[in-house]
């Protein structure tokens, strides 16, 4: 036989409430209509589903079996509806956010969590991007927002605002090569074995662009794609590492020294394309979440 989902919802509500009257109220049906539906359900099933008494109703063994399977069917139906309707919840193209590698550590994940929770109908596509590429994408309208390095984005026609300090430091194992030092130049850092990000990472490219050709050729013990892993390797004594100061977890035992080089002093900006009459609500909301997340840096 074919079961009607509304009849199943009514039957489950009736059993859970202990009376046809209360079950009918819960699913917004009149008592005569609810009674007729349940009688029709029993007729099609060919078996009594409820024991009726002056104090209410309770399920027969067959009714208890139907209750158990009804819960499964309704739960599966809800998952089905959610899966299908999720494709209709984001009719517009996703927002495109371009960020440098250091922004991927902490700030951007924090902003995405709160933004996506508060805006279930807006999707965001995030890509790691070097500042020159991000600037071009924002100017051409290919991206909605970007987190860029100030020195490379200044006077490029973008609308920008300061987000956070992104200055670089050198870190190493407590009691290791940096013991007793508070500051040193990158040329001295490069004389030691290092751990760092992979060659295509925007932060790695920034360092190599500004440090060469004065610094020695670097020996990387290993390279990884995550700043947290870089910090863990440095803390373990594998090698020194150059990272943004905000990436250093104060609870991890590390020696942290300031880099003397001027290029190590950086600031991150939030940027969007040239000023327009209005900013799309989704873009404005994402920008607000990035501002709040940057306060933790």
């Amino acid at each position: 036989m074919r079961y009607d989902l509304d009849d199943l919802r009514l039957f489950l509500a009736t059993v859970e409430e202990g009376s046809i009257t209360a079950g009918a109220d819960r699913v917004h049906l009149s008592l005569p209509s609810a009674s007729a539906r349940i009688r029709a359900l029993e007729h099609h099933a060919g078996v009594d589903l409820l024991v009726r008494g002056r104090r209410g109703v309770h399920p027969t063994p067959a009714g208890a079996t139907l209750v158990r399977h009804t819960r499964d069917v309704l739960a599966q139906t809800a998952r089905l509806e959610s899966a299908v309707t999720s494709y209709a919840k984001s009719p517009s193209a996703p927002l495109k956010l371009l960020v440098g590698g250091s922004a991927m550590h902490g700030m951007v994940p924090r902003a995405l969590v709160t933004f996506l929770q508060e805006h279930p109908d807006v999707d965001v596509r995030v890509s790691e991007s070097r500042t020159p590429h991000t600037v071009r994408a924002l100017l051409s309208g290919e991206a909605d927002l970007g987190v860029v390095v100030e020195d490379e984005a200044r006077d490029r026609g973008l609308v920008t605002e300061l987000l956070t300090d992104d200055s670089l430091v050198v870190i190493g194992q407590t009691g290791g090569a940096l013991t007793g030092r508070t500051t040193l130049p990158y040329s001295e850092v490069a004389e030691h074995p290092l751990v760092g990000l992979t060659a295509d990472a925007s932060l790695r490219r920034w360092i190599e662009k500004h440090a060469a050709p004065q610094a020695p050729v670097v020996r990387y013990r290993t390279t990884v794609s995550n700043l947290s892993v870089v910090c863990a390797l440095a803390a373990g004594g594998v090698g020194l590492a150059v990272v943004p100061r905000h990436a250093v977890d104060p609870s991890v035992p590390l020696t942290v020294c300031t880099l003397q080089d001027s290029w190590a002093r950086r600031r991150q900006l939030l940027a969007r394309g040239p000023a327009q009459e209005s900013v799309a609500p989704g873009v404005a909301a994402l920008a607000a979440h990035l501002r709040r997340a940057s306060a933790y840096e």
Side-chain angles (χ1 to χ4, degrees), residues 92-95 115 119 122 144-145 272 274-288 291:
S92 58
L95 301 181
F115 175 81
H119 299 82
V122 182
D144 297 292
L145 287 172
R272 59 179 175 84
Q276 301 174 351
E277 292 184 1
S278 62
V279 179
V283 175
L286 179 56
R291 292 185 199 101

Side-chain angles (χ1 to χ4, degrees), residues 79-147:
R79 288 192 290 270
L80 172 64
E81 291 175 349
S82 176
V84 173
T85 56
S86 66
Y87 288 94
K89 287 184 177 180
S90 185
S92 58
L95 301 181
K96 188 170 183 180
L97 172 65
L98 302 180
V99 300
S102 63
M104 288 286 201
H105 182 92
M107 178 175 63
V108 169
R110 281 194 298 269
L112 286 175
V113 167
T114 57
F115 175 81
L116 293 172
Q117 287 176 341
E118 292 184 15
H119 299 82
D121 296 342
V122 182
D123 300 332
V124 182
R125 183 180 302 152
V126 184
S127 301
E128 182 174 339
S129 171
R130 297 175 62 201
T131 293
H133 174 267
T134 300
V135 169
R136 291 193 294 271
L138 291 171
L139 289 173
S140 65
E142 297 175 11
D144 297 292
L145 287 172
V147 178

Side-chain angles (χ1 to χ4, degrees), residues 159-246:
V159 178
T160 62
E161 60 182 275
L162 178 64
L163 273 183
T164 184
D165 181 77
D166 194 43
S167 294
L168 306 179
V169 296
V170 57
I171 59 174
Q173 184 181 39
T174 299
L178 299 178
T179 300
R181 304 294 299 274
T182 58
T183 180
L184 69 168
Y186 181 81
S187 58
E188 185 176 339
V189 175
E191 294 174 355
H192 297 268
L194 302 183
V195 293
L197 296 171
T198 53
D200 60 340
S202 56
L203 178 59
R204 167 84 174 270
R205 292 191 177 197
W206 169 275
I207 294 171
E208 292 178 346
K209 172 185 175 181
H210 292 84
Q214 295 85 359
V217 176
V218 172
R219 175 196 171 197
Y220 281 103
R221 298 292 314 282
T222 187
T223 58
V224 296
S225 60
N226 185 284
L227 277 171
S228 295
V229 179
V230 171
C231 293
L233 290 168
V238 177
L240 302 183
V242 175
V243 299
R245 187 180 294 275
H246 67 75

